[in-house]
Amino acid sequence: MTTSNGQPPEFSFRLDRIEAIVAANSEQITANTTAITRLEANQAALSERVNIMAERVDTVSESVNQVSRIALAILQRVDSTQTEIRDLQTDMRGLQLENRRILDILQQRRGDG
């Protein structure tokens, strides 16, 4: 601590308090600087993680888009197939009806003949 150098004792006490406050402030500044450095490193690491996650989200999003396109194509094929099946069923009913008519005509001819 400082010497009084002919100053009143209160002066020396005040200087001692100021030195203690400056020393405490210096220690706190050092601690804050260390904490800030750690926080900056953590922030950089978190930013990198966020970037990695964003890339993963983009990849998943593209995959979902691809799956959606595939699913839409499949649904369109299913719709087309269902339409074809309905058309075939209609054709079959028509053929069945025609076959019954032919059979009826043949049976009538046998009965007449």
Side-chain angles (χ1 to χ4, degrees):
M1 302 282 167
T2 50
T3 58
S4 61
N5 287 335
Q7 299 295 330
E10 306 87 47
F11 183 78
S12 177
F13 177 71
R14 289 175 102 194
L15 283 177
D16 289 345
R17 276 185 19 172
I18 290 171
E19 284 178 351
I21 291 170
V22 168
N25 283 346
S26 178
E27 289 174 12
Q28 188 61 52
I29 289 170
T30 301
N32 287 348
T33 301
T34 302
I36 289 169
T37 301
R38 271 187 267 138
L39 288 173
E40 287 172 342
N42 287 343
Q43 182 182 7
L46 287 174
S47 291
E48 182 62 26
R49 288 180 185 165
V50 166
N51 289 338
I52 290 169
M53 293 303 292
E55 289 173 9
R56 289 179 181 170
V57 166
D58 290 344
T59 301
V60 168
S61 177
E62 182 57 33
S63 296
V64 167
N65 287 337
Q66 289 175 354
V67 168
S68 294
R69 287 191 294 270
I70 292 168
L72 180 60
I74 289 171
L75 288 174
Q76 289 171 341
R77 287 181 190 167
V78 167
D79 286 345
S80 175
T81 302
Q82 286 177 338
T83 301
E84 289 175 18
I85 289 170
R86 282 189 208 106
D87 291 345
L88 289 172
Q89 286 174 334
T90 301
D91 291 347
M92 280 180 57
R93 285 186 194 111
L95 289 172
Q96 286 173 340
L97 182 61
E98 188 64 27
N99 284 342
R100 282 194 185 117
R101 286 182 191 158
I102 293 171
L103 286 173
D104 287 345
I105 291 171
L106 290 174
Q107 285 177 354
Q108 286 175 2
R109 285 186 183 171
R110 280 189 199 165
D112 291 343

